[in-house]
Amino acid sequence: MGKNGYLPLFETRPARGLVFFRSYAASIFIGICFICFHRVSYFPVTERWVWVGMFVAELWFSFYFFITVIVKWNPVFRSTFKDRLSSRYEEEELPGVDIFVCTADPRLEPPTMVVSTVLSVMAYDYPPHKLSVYLSDDGCSDLTFYALLEASVFAQLWLPFCRKLKVEPTSPEAYFQTTPEPVDDAFMANEWLIIKKTYEDMKIRIESMTRLGKVPADIRKEHKGFDEWDFVVSRHDHPSILQILIDGRGPNAIDIEGKALPTLVYLAREKRPQIHHNFKAGALNALIRISSRISNAPFVLNVDCDMHSNNSKAIRDALCFFLDEENGREIGYVQYPQTFGNLTKNEIYGSLRVVMKLELAGFDGNGGPCYIGTGCVHRRESLCRMKYSKELVVEWKAMKYDRKIIEKASSIEGNCKALASCTYEENTPWGKEMGVKYGCVVEDILTGICIQSRGWRSVFLTPQREAFLGMVPTTLLDTLVQHKRWAEGDFQIFLSKLCPFVYGCQNMPLKLQLSYCIYLLWVPNCFATLYYVFVPSFCLLKGISLFPKISSSWGIPYLYVIVVHRVHSLVEFVWLGGTVRGWLNEQRMWMFKRTTSYFFAAIDNILKLCGFSKSAFIITGKVADDDVNRRYKQESMEFGTSSPMFTALATLALFNLFGLVVVGTNKAINDDARIKVFDIFGFQILLCCVLVFVNLPIYQGMFFRKDSGKIPASVTLRSIAFALLASTLAMY
């Protein structure tokens, strides 16, 4: 019970097994001390720079392990009491919520997927007239507008159906794919079939229009909104387009049962070729301004267009934090984990499982999770540069609408277009002190840091039923490029004046500032990892030992740290719901990202510092052809195209394979020689074996696969040439 005698709306509990984790971390720390002592005490007379390089790499790994321990030292998990929220607040007393959905390209983000996400958030278990859904279309596509228009009609059937059957998930696409027809009630079964048929018909119409590439003239005449496209030159050159498809304030905004519908708004902000539009951050800021004029709800949920609602009570969960009488006032945002619905059983390209289920909970224990750009409910004031103070009193209770329109929708549309113009933000605080931050490709992390630096707390919530389900990339290249963008932006923040150690030093606890380093320092990880992947094999070919002998007791700390660290990683991954093969795939992707994504991100950051490059926002594709999807479901790694990243991966894989083959054929001639070589170079040989095992999909893609997803011959030939050149230099 709270200080004032009321029951709290949420509770916080520490993670289990902390004694085990802390004991493990302490033992690893002791092992690291022994390794450092060995490196300093047994400094070689010759080849000292190679030894120094190994020591520096190990010091970096030790530092990063220290940061990881800080993040995982005190994770907390939260749960809510929605029944107390319902008993404390009547439906009409609950605050309004604005929901932002962002899309940017109908070719990469199909309109059917976008409207399924929109319908899923419209169907929340929440008073519908308190919901306002805004779709930002940065592609300015009349195809997306047509799809949203179709969805606004289908919502009149879908929302009553969701209420009646308590549908979960509320995305029609996901629901009809995962839920069988009800058989115990003939009436409901018939209604189920009708709704499914209606949805499939709508989907066919949208997909047909998408394949056609344009909206026919006869359909354009059915809604005045299509007239706006008469002034569109291209997706990068057009005026603001704002259409209120459902005006939730009006008496006509009702479904087939006469219940209110949420407000539904389409926005394509103005773009001109000569003016930078700031990507997703610019779209979100335009939505913040537009929504403040139309609905002005005190709380804002933003989701990506591929991340549909999977839990219809997610908004009520979030409000349990904001409306808590004792601690709610200090909370700036509630972050849900990013989870995915299209993962394979063994998560071939990784899944961010540990990040989303444990590390963000560790952030919460250290002061609050970072903002990850989707699945987050914000307090509007926290986005509008307001600083938190204990004296701050925010009036969140929304106005009770009497269903009479104060201002006509057409009038609002005309008046609000200026708020989405490309020149509106000139000489204003938008993007700097107000709204989502500009100047970084990971605007979400940067915005979260700024909110926390103004004194607001954030909380992390993992409900029993996942709040949202998104889509992971289905090819290796898409995954690596996505992580390159994240790593590049994170390191850019670390080098800027908005680094947590500078900008957040007054209001962010030190442990939270350090926690951010686990992501902000992804880029420097590449150098230590590349050194460990390349140099031990290079020195193996030259006959230079970099580790203690197998027979030496100094090998025990190395063996202990490596084995125990990896075993703990495996136990942690499986405890969080993964599989052993999934963990192996996670380790593989860990190495692939560090040797390619983070390395190329480092190059881009250097080029930016020298003024030779600018930030670019790359949209991850949400569609793939049938062959790619089939191979993804079979967990066959997808290469298929030529990329410098694949050349780097294949070169490193072949170099380690050549090193192992050369040592096996030239050194181990007889038993005595084999024993002597393994005693001196045992750790390097074992490291080389591990790297060859990790790279098995690379070898398969180069030499054994015949499908279109194999590594292109040009990449294979280049990689063989580079690996042979490196091997020759090492041997001669």
Side-chain angles (χ1 to χ4, degrees):
M1 187 164 291
K3 294 179 180 178
N4 299 321
Y6 74 94
L7 293 173
L9 296 179
F10 68 90
E11 68 173 359
T12 303
R13 62 187 187 281
R16 293 176 296 175
L18 289 180
V19 173
F20 168 76
F21 172 76
R22 291 170 181 176
S23 301
Y24 145 79
S27 69
I28 293 292
F29 176 75
I30 293 171
I32 289 172
C33 291
F34 277 106
I35 291 173
C36 292
F37 184 79
H38 170 260
R39 287 291 182 196
V40 173
S41 301
Y42 290 82
F43 202 81
V45 177
T46 60
E47 312 296 346
R48 60 179 60 190
W49 290 112
V50 180
W51 189 271
V52 169
M54 292 295 291
F55 187 32
V56 171
E58 287 158 358
L59 286 176
W60 175 262
F61 290 142
S62 302
F63 168 73
Y64 199 76
F65 172 75
F66 169 70
I67 297 298
T68 305
V69 169
I70 289 176
V71 172
K72 298 179 181 179
W73 191 258
N74 187 37
V76 296
F77 296 93
R78 304 181 188 270
S79 56
T80 61
F81 302 106
K82 294 184 288 293
D83 55 333
R84 297 177 186 174
L85 178 73
S86 299
S87 63
R88 198 167 298 170
Y89 299 100
E90 298 290 338
E91 294 288 282
E92 286 300 319
E93 294 178 329
L94 290 171
V97 178
D98 289 341
I99 303 174
F100 299 164
V101 182
C102 293
T103 183
D105 191 335
R107 296 166 298 179
L108 299 176
E109 298 166 336
T112 50
M113 178 189 71
V114 174
V115 297
S116 193
T117 298
V118 169
L119 287 164
S120 74
V121 296
M122 290 179 72
Y124 272 126
D125 178 14
Y126 200 76
H129 62 286
K130 298 292 183 76
L131 295 177
S132 298
V133 181
Y134 296 80
L135 175 66
S136 170
D137 178 17
D138 256 13
C140 190
S141 170
D142 54 351
L143 300 174
T144 302
F145 178 74
Y146 169 75
L148 194 65
L149 193 61
E150 287 275 6
S152 68
V153 177
F154 180 69
Q156 299 174 30
L157 298 173
W158 180 243
L159 270 60
F161 179 75
C162 290
R163 286 195 300 267
K164 195 176 298 180
L165 267 68
K166 300 188 183 302
V167 165
E168 294 283 12
T170 50
S171 159
E173 181 69 18
Y175 176 74
F176 288 122
Q177 282 183 354
T178 58
T179 307
E181 174 189 346
V183 294
D184 54 345
D185 188 328
F187 177 78
M188 292 309 302
N190 181 60
E191 186 170 358
W192 189 93
L193 291 171
I194 292 173
I195 297 295
K196 183 181 181 183
K197 176 69 165 54
T198 306
Y199 171 70
E200 289 175 344
D201 290 344
M202 179 190 74
K203 184 179 175 182
I204 290 171
R205 290 194 298 273
I206 295 173
E207 289 177 342
S208 299
M209 211 70 70
T210 304
R211 285 193 297 269
L212 186 63
K214 62 179 182 179
V215 179
D218 57 327
I219 295 179
R220 293 172 71 94
K221 294 177 182 177
E222 295 177 3
H223 194 279
K224 64 179 180 62
F226 288 109
D227 295 340
E228 301 283 350
W229 272 266
D230 294 339
F231 306 99
V232 173
V233 178
S234 72
R235 55 177 296 200
H236 301 293
D237 189 3
H238 61 84
S240 301
I241 299 176
L242 177 65
Q243 292 292 310
I244 301 176
L245 300 183
I246 301 176
D247 190 347
R249 303 168 306 159
N252 296 325
I254 55 175
D255 58 33
I256 58 171
E257 293 182 349
K259 301 288 182 64
L261 287 171
T263 295
L264 180 62
V265 180
Y266 172 91
L267 172 67
R269 60 191 171 117
E270 182 186 16
K271 286 187 181 178
R272 300 300 177 193
Q274 67 275 17
I275 299 177
H276 187 50
H277 56 80
N278 294 301
F279 311 115
K280 181 181 175 182
L284 287 171
N285 283 341
L287 287 176
I288 292 171
R289 294 192 296 271
I290 293 291
S291 64
S292 68
R293 180 69 178 79
I294 297 175
S295 49
N296 199 30
F299 303 106
V300 174
L301 163 66
N302 81 281
V303 295
D304 289 340
C305 65
D306 66 324
M307 184 154 281
H308 66 79
S309 169
N310 188 59
N311 184 341
S312 63
K313 299 186 183 298
I315 287 181
R316 293 180 183 269
D317 277 322
L319 290 181
C320 285
F321 295 97
F322 291 116
L323 305 188
D324 184 80
E325 286 85 348
E326 185 172 341
N327 298 307
R329 291 193 306 167
E330 65 180 1
I331 295 174
Y333 63 84
V334 176
Q335 179 65 64
Y336 287 99
Q338 192 170 6
T339 49
F340 307 100
N342 66 329
L343 288 171
T344 59
K345 178 182 177 182
N346 297 303
E347 303 166 5
I348 184 171
Y349 300 125
S351 65
L352 303 176
R353 180 179 296 275
V354 175
V355 173
M356 293 298 163
K357 292 195 173 185
L358 183 59
E359 289 180 1
L360 288 184
F363 267 69
D364 201 356
N366 289 341
C370 53
Y371 168 40
I372 61 175
T374 185
C376 186
V377 183
H378 286 272
R379 187 187 296 275
R380 186 179 288 270
E381 288 81 10
S382 71
L383 288 170
C384 297
R385 70 174 178 176
M386 183 179 289
K387 295 182 178 181
Y388 170 75
S389 67
K390 293 182 178 180
E391 293 75 29
L392 177 66
V393 177
V394 178
E395 180 57 46
W396 56 262
K397 290 189 177 180
M399 219 169 72
K400 296 182 180 179
Y401 296 123
D402 58 0
R403 313 293 286 168
K404 292 180 181 179
I405 300 179
I406 300 171
E407 186 178 2
K408 289 184 178 180
S410 58
S411 176
I412 293 178
E413 291 169 357
N415 294 335
C416 288
K417 284 184 179 181
L419 299 176
S421 70
C422 56
T423 57
Y424 180 86
E425 296 177 349
E426 291 181 359
N427 302 316
T428 71
W430 284 99
K432 307 179 195 67
E433 301 172 14
M434 183 179 291
V436 182
K437 297 295 178 181
Y438 295 158
C440 182
V441 292
V442 286
E443 73 292 325
D444 43 11
I445 298 289
L446 184 57
T447 302
I449 290 172
C450 293
I451 291 173
Q452 291 170 330
S453 298
R454 291 196 290 266
W456 295 99
R457 283 284 319 267
S458 59
V459 296
F460 180 66
L461 177 62
T462 306
Q464 287 188 341
R465 181 179 179 87
E466 294 160 325
F468 303 95
L469 287 179
M471 296 179 66
V472 292
T474 55
T475 69
L476 177 61
L477 185 59
D478 280 347
T479 304
L480 295 177
V481 169
Q482 184 183 65
H483 279 268
K484 171 188 170 294
R485 178 172 67 84
W486 291 345
E488 179 185 337
D490 288 340
F491 195 55
Q492 188 180 349
I493 294 172
F494 183 78
L495 297 177
S496 74
K497 63 181 181 181
L498 296 176
C499 173
F501 295 105
V502 178
Y503 192 74
C505 59
Q506 291 185 348
N507 290 314
M508 293 173 64
L510 178 61
K511 56 185 178 181
L512 181 58
Q513 298 172 39
L514 289 169
S515 296
Y516 270 101
C517 290
I518 199 173
Y519 306 132
L520 302 188
L521 295 179
W522 270 350
V523 164
N525 271 327
C526 74
F527 301 112
T529 305
L530 282 168
Y531 197 93
Y532 241 75
V533 168
F534 181 79
V535 172
S537 297
F538 188 88
C539 290
L540 182 63
L541 291 171
K542 290 186 74 71
I544 301 172
S545 176
L546 298 177
F547 296 96
K549 291 182 179 181
I550 293 291
S551 58
S552 170
S553 59
W554 282 110
I556 296 175
Y558 288 88
L559 198 61
Y560 178 83
V561 169
I562 293 170
V563 173
V564 172
H565 187 265
R566 289 300 89 198
V567 169
H568 174 268
S569 171
L570 172 60
V571 171
E572 180 182 76
F573 191 86
V574 173
W575 174 64
L576 293 172
T579 64
V580 174
R581 282 191 60 189
W583 174 79
L584 290 172
N585 288 329
E586 189 75 25
Q587 305 311 297
R588 179 178 293 116
M589 289 305 303
W590 176 89
M591 194 190 77
F592 284 3
K593 288 182 289 190
R594 287 189 173 204
T595 53
T596 57
S597 300
Y598 302 169
F599 177 67
F600 284 97
I603 293 175
D604 273 4
N605 267 289
I606 293 171
L607 292 175
K608 282 187 182 68
L609 290 173
C610 297
F612 296 119
S613 177
K614 293 183 178 180
S615 298
F617 189 91
I618 300 173
I619 303 170
T620 305
K622 310 300 189 301
V623 289
D625 63 40
D626 293 339
D627 288 340
V628 172
N629 279 327
R630 176 177 52 79
R631 287 191 289 270
Y632 175 69
K633 291 176 181 177
Q634 293 172 349
E635 298 191 336
S636 177
M637 193 163 278
E638 185 73 25
F639 301 100
T641 58
S642 180
S643 167
M645 289 188 177
F646 292 161
T647 302
L649 286 176
T651 300
L652 291 171
L654 287 170
F655 180 69
N656 280 281
L657 181 63
F658 292 165
L660 197 61
V661 169
V662 168
V663 170
T665 55
N666 293 343
K667 302 281 185 181
I669 299 173
N670 54 56
D671 290 343
D672 290 338
R674 182 183 296 112
I675 294 171
K676 184 177 180 181
V677 167
F678 188 73
D679 186 36
I680 298 174
F681 298 101
F683 281 105
Q684 283 165 261
I685 293 172
L686 288 173
L687 178 60
C688 203
C689 289
V690 170
L691 291 171
V692 168
F693 174 75
V694 167
N695 285 304
L696 285 178
I698 302 289
Y699 307 133
Q700 293 171 352
M702 284 191 288
F703 304 120
F704 301 107
R705 287 174 56 178
K706 305 299 181 183
D707 56 69
S708 59
K710 68 179 181 179
I711 294 178
S714 59
V715 174
T716 301
L717 292 174
R718 280 197 300 270
S719 302
I720 290 174
F722 291 148
L724 285 174
L725 177 62
S727 301
T728 303
L729 291 174
M731 295 172 64
Y732 297 101

